[in-house]
Amino acid sequence: MLKNNFKIAWRNLTNNKVYSTINIMGLAAGMAVALLIGLWVSYQYSFDKYLPNYGQSYQVRRNFNSNGDTLTFSSTSLKLADALRNNYPEIEYVAESDGGREHGLMVGNTKLLLTGKQAGADFFKIFSFPFIEGNADGLKDPYSIILTESSAKALFGSKSAMNQMVKVDNKNNLKVTGIIKDLPANSSLALSYVIPFSYFEIVDPGVKAARKQSFGSNGFELFAKLKNGIKYSQLAPKIKNMEKYEDNLNAKNSDVIMQPIQDWHLYNTYINGKASGGFIEYVRIFSIIGILVLMIACINFINLTTARSEKRAREVGIRKAIGSQRKQLILQFLTESVLVTFVAFLFAVVIVQLALPSFNTLAGTAIFLPYTNAWFWVITLGCTFITAIVAGSRPAFYLSSFNPVQVLKGTIQTARGASLSRKALVIIQFSCSIVLIISTVIIYQQIQHAKNRPTGYATNRLVTSTTNDDINANAAAIKHALLQSGAVASITTSSSPATGVYWHSDVDNFPGKNAGETVEMGMIAVSEDYFKTLGMQLKEGHDFIGNAKADSANVILNEAGVKRLRLTNPVGQTITEFGRKMNIIGVVKDALMDSPFQAADPSLFFFDGGSNIIYRLSPGMNTHEAIEKVSAVFSTYSPASPFTYRFVDDDYNQKFNLELLVGKLAGIFAGLAIFISCLGLFGLAAYVAEQRTKEIGVRKVLGATVAQVWLLLSKDFVLLVVISCVIASPIALYFLQNWLNKYTYRITIGPGVFIISAVAAITITLLTISYQAIKAAIANPIKSLRSE
């Protein structure tokens, strides 16, 4: 029986090529979107799951109470590392680490500047990356290094890197004691090598001293692995208050927490001390979009199938008259739905396979169709079957309900019974499509709003390079040579790049301070000409004079810092940071060093310098020529390290990457939703024109013009789209306003976006149905009336 059902289904599929094609195209597009989003969502949830200790690995963080606001930081102290390692038997391993930075690696004439970590000896016992050679004990010797497979090949070529020597930062030779596989794209950690933290303590006396300092001496990352069978809920209350007994303001106001590795990627935003948002919000949004687009495709199938009910009413009547039961007819129509849906699924797989390279480039992912994975086929085919049942149930139950006597007498009125439901479904699918259109416009406006925001400094031709010991030792000579070359107009150094604030600390005393109050602020060490080089404007007071001794106790605040400290007439006043008194000599206008969507970070600038050298290329010299001259100077004074540089405007534009990605994907999916909806409209318009052929013929004989016939067939569809606009607008407003509320600097949603979206939707609708309407209007009325 099932075989016979499929034969009938295939015959109906091939006999109604236009409607079958529209159904298959709509379902294929909807299923392709759903499949692509499903792969993307699965990829986002797959982060770090390749690690064997995925469920027991954590990063140590601290919640800091800043005057009632709970701020969460990943920077912790080495004293905390030792306390966790020695005092809590629930913890199996602890590894301290720097934040990850670039180091110069040299083998012979091969020089590379790569990003890696300096981490504790148990780092690879917490993160069980697969070793090609060596093992997790490879960091026990301070003068060792573990490389990734690609960095080993880059340094040593085809010969084995094991037990070979790598010179780091032109200082010491480190022995290669292990080679790990390259970290996959779905890894939260990104590194090319790991150097023992014990080596870090040897070459930097300040790091070794930090281990003996207080819990408040933060500046390091900590990772921990709990013993098997231990749950974090058992440990959390024990470590929460471990810092509070120390007589240190930073420690007294801090709670120790841990974040599981499984939350790193998706829950990267902390609110009131809890991981409560982040990238997961976008995963949920696109999951909903995938479901909506697939639902729109299913609505097309339902509408077109029920719309053609009169064509199949006689078939139903005859089959019932000869003894077919309703359940047999339902099975027949569901079989047709399954056949159409599975054909559409095959097309969807082809579409996704063709789209994946471009999608991966756009989204920065490494998604692929896992053809050899049995679970992939179980899930996708299962979802396809569910889609077939959902799309085919309404037509199956509707068509099988016809009364055979009425059908065979020609007295059944199928169109009226299905008309309202069809219109309701059209309204639903266009409402969803219009919500996506409005969302795309709002996201674009928000991005442009932030891009047009004054940055507070000039990013054009501003360049950043990372310093090293050779560069620091020859800083004065390099600065002189760069200025003399004519390639550089101004040069300075800083502890943070122009587009970020790497260090925060507490101002513990200031005029007007309340009892127990602390203020967390960004701390930026700068050298002379910092504000000149970046183009930041002093609002009050004066700049540093450029003398380390004279400027050692002087600081400059930005406007946000003055506001945070509630200072009036700040120049000349004294504040204290960790017991160190500092004189405010100036106030600089706010600059957007962190998020362009948020308020400027309250910051304090002090005279010291840092690991970022920032310079502005001369306006009169070609950029390529200027970079070549700068490269020559750096290579002269730092021959062991490759010259690298980043344009600040590129770094700044990267801050929009996530919003741009969301906007582009929303635009693509909105376009596909409209395309699928218009396919349905095209089919319905063809059906209506076919049903009203004789009416149109009579009207034309009586003198109706092409325009009048076009209006007759178009007005009902346009009315449905107008209703959809009315429904979609408040829904979009509600969700988009909630989305915008997470940005301090945001647009105000005005009526214009809803008007533009409505006009676009109506225009697209008219273009879609006009072909069928005009085709019917210009047809020869004699042909349609010949049978009368």
Side-chain angles (χ1 to χ4, degrees), residues 265-308:
H265 177 63
L266 295 177
Y267 295 90
N268 50 6
T269 299
Y270 274 77
I271 300 174
N272 294 324
K274 295 182 179 180
S276 55
F279 200 72
I280 185 65
E281 297 169 8
Y282 294 100
V283 172
R284 289 168 181 162
I285 288 171
F286 283 110
S287 298
I288 294 171
I289 289 175
I291 294 171
L292 288 178
V293 174
L294 183 58
M295 184 180 74
I296 289 169
C298 290
I299 288 174
N300 271 0
F301 182 89
I302 294 169
N303 270 349
L304 289 178
T305 306
T306 55
R308 299 187 66 252

Side-chain angles (χ1 to χ4, degrees), residues 174-407:
L174 305 186
K175 183 179 180 180
V176 179
T177 55
I179 300 172
I180 60 172
K181 288 185 178 181
D182 290 339
L183 274 60
N186 59 343
S187 172
S188 295
L189 292 174
L191 49 85
S192 298
Y193 57 86
V194 178
I195 298 170
F197 197 83
S198 53
Y199 174 80
F200 192 19
E201 293 181 278
I202 292 172
V203 299
D204 190 337
V207 175
K208 187 174 183 179
R211 195 175 289 279
K212 299 178 180 179
Q213 294 171 358
S214 70
F215 283 124
S217 300
N218 300 300
F220 306 93
E221 291 182 344
L222 295 184
F223 305 100
K225 178 186 177 293
L226 305 188
K227 290 181 178 178
N228 291 334
I230 299 296
K231 296 181 179 179
Y232 175 61
S233 58
Q234 299 172 248
L235 178 65
K238 297 181 180 181
I239 65 174
K240 179 180 178 180
N241 299 317
M242 61 184 296
E243 295 187 354
K244 290 187 181 299
Y245 68 86
E246 190 171 85
D247 189 20
N248 177 282
L249 199 58
N250 194 304
K252 280 185 175 182
N253 287 282
S254 293
D255 290 334
V256 178
I257 62 170
M258 292 185 181
Q259 185 186 33
I261 187 174
Q262 62 194 23
D263 290 346
W264 287 2
H265 177 63
L266 295 177
Y267 295 90
N268 50 6
T269 299
Y270 274 77
I271 300 174
N272 294 324
K274 295 182 179 180
S276 55
F279 200 72
I280 185 65
E281 297 169 8
Y282 294 100
V283 172
R284 289 168 181 162
I285 288 171
F286 283 110
S287 298
I288 294 171
I289 289 175
I291 294 171
L292 288 178
V293 174
L294 183 58
M295 184 180 74
I296 289 169
C298 290
I299 288 174
N300 271 0
F301 182 89
I302 294 169
N303 270 349
L304 289 178
T305 306
T306 55
R308 299 187 66 252
S309 58
E310 289 185 2
K311 291 287 184 181
R312 304 198 64 179
R314 190 171 296 277
E315 173 196 344
V316 172
I318 293 172
R319 293 185 65 178
K320 278 192 172 185
I322 62 175
S324 292
Q325 299 178 358
R326 187 181 182 191
K327 62 181 181 181
Q328 293 174 315
L329 293 172
I330 291 174
L331 181 61
Q332 172 62 49
F333 293 126
L334 287 177
T335 302
E336 293 180 18
S337 175
V338 169
L339 180 61
V340 170
T341 306
F342 272 85
V343 171
F345 170 72
L346 296 177
F347 281 105
V349 171
V350 173
I351 292 170
V352 170
Q353 184 62 63
L354 294 174
L356 272 177
S358 298
F359 182 84
N360 282 329
T361 301
L362 173 65
T365 55
I367 298 171
F368 60 94
L369 280 168
Y371 293 111
T372 58
N373 188 319
W375 279 110
F376 166 75
W377 292 109
V378 169
I379 293 171
T380 53
L381 292 177
C383 291
T384 302
F385 183 76
I386 292 171
T387 301
I389 300 301
V390 170
S393 292
R394 162 68 179 169
F397 283 94
Y398 176 72
L399 292 172
S400 63
S401 67
F402 291 163
N403 187 309
V405 176
Q406 290 181 325
V407 169

Side-chain angles (χ1 to χ4, degrees), residues 62 64 66 71 73 75 216-219 248-250 501-510 518-524 564-565 575-580 582 601-604 606:
R62 60 187 177 88
F64 179 75
S66 177
L71 309 175
F73 296 97
S75 62
S217 300
N218 300 300
N248 177 282
L249 199 58
N250 194 304
V501 180
Y502 282 0
W503 173 27
H504 287 76
S505 188
D506 307 316
V507 175
D508 47 35
N509 199 6
F510 52 91
T518 60
V519 174
E520 188 87 14
M521 295 183 66
M523 300 284 167
I524 304 174
R564 174 69 66 86
L565 296 174
I575 60 176
T576 304
E577 183 256 344
F578 275 112
R580 183 172 61 131
M582 300 175 289
D601 194 19
S603 300
L604 179 153
F606 61 95

Side-chain angles (χ1 to χ4, degrees), residues 414-698:
T414 56
R416 185 175 181 182
S419 177
L420 287 177
S421 62
R422 278 203 302 274
K423 290 178 179 179
L425 290 173
V426 169
I427 290 172
I428 290 172
Q429 68 175 174
F430 264 90
S431 295
C432 295
S433 300
I434 292 165
V435 167
L436 290 177
I437 293 175
I438 295 171
S439 300
T440 302
V441 176
I442 292 295
I443 292 170
Y444 174 79
Q445 288 181 341
Q446 172 66 4
I447 293 170
Q448 293 305 119
H449 182 63
K451 279 189 170 184
N452 295 332
R453 183 182 183 185
T455 59
Y457 59 97
T459 60
N460 185 42
R461 298 179 70 82
L462 194 63
V463 186
T464 299
S465 294
T466 303
T467 63
N468 55 43
D469 289 342
D470 291 336
I471 293 174
N472 291 335
N474 297 283
I478 290 174
K479 180 175 182 178
H480 177 75
L482 288 174
L483 293 173
Q484 287 296 311
S485 71
V488 170
S490 183
I491 184 171
T492 188
T493 58
S494 169
S495 60
S496 298
T499 54
V501 180
Y502 282 0
W503 173 27
H504 287 76
S505 188
D506 307 316
V507 175
D508 47 35
N509 199 6
F510 52 91
K513 173 194 170 184
N514 297 321
E517 183 180 14
T518 60
V519 174
E520 188 87 14
M521 295 183 66
M523 300 284 167
I524 304 174
V526 302
S527 65
E528 59 184 320
D529 296 330
Y530 176 82
F531 301 111
K532 172 187 172 183
T533 302
L534 268 67
M536 295 174 65
Q537 297 181 7
L538 279 169
K539 183 180 179 182
E540 299 178 48
H542 63 84
D543 199 349
F544 298 110
I545 62 175
N547 183 295
K549 185 176 181 180
D551 282 324
S552 61
N554 294 335
V555 297
I556 294 174
L557 300 178
N558 67 353
E559 293 172 301
V562 172
K563 185 177 180 181
R564 174 69 66 86
L565 296 174
R566 304 186 304 275
L567 299 177
T568 56
N569 302 318
V571 175
Q573 299 195 50
T574 301
I575 60 176
T576 304
E577 183 256 344
F578 275 112
R580 183 172 61 131
K581 289 187 176 181
M582 300 175 289
N583 303 313
I584 302 173
I585 62 170
V587 176
V588 69
K589 290 186 176 181
D590 286 337
L592 300 179
M593 294 183 168
D594 277 332
S595 172
F597 299 100
Q598 306 296 343
D601 194 19
S603 300
L604 179 153
F605 302 87
F606 61 95
F607 193 82
D608 194 1
S611 60
N612 295 275
I613 184 165
I614 306 171
Y615 45 96
R616 188 175 299 279
L617 302 180
S618 296
M621 185 176 291
N622 175 272
T623 300
H624 180 72
E625 181 184 356
I627 289 295
E628 283 189 341
K629 290 193 173 186
V630 171
S631 175
V633 171
F634 275 95
S635 298
T636 299
Y637 290 96
S638 181
S641 299
F643 168 67
T644 61
Y645 61 94
R646 302 187 313 276
F647 283 97
V648 171
D649 53 1
D650 289 337
D651 286 349
Y652 184 77
N653 287 333
Q654 286 180 6
K655 294 177 181 290
F656 300 93
N657 283 353
L658 178 57
E659 283 73 20
L660 283 171
L661 171 62
V662 172
K664 288 177 181 178
L665 291 179
I668 291 170
F669 296 141
L672 287 171
I674 283 290
F675 169 74
I676 297 169
S677 298
C678 288
L679 274 179
L681 276 189
F682 185 84
L684 286 177
Y687 166 75
V688 171
E690 182 182 350
Q691 291 297 102
R692 303 180 73 171
T693 300
K694 291 182 175 60
E695 176 191 348
I696 293 169
V698 171

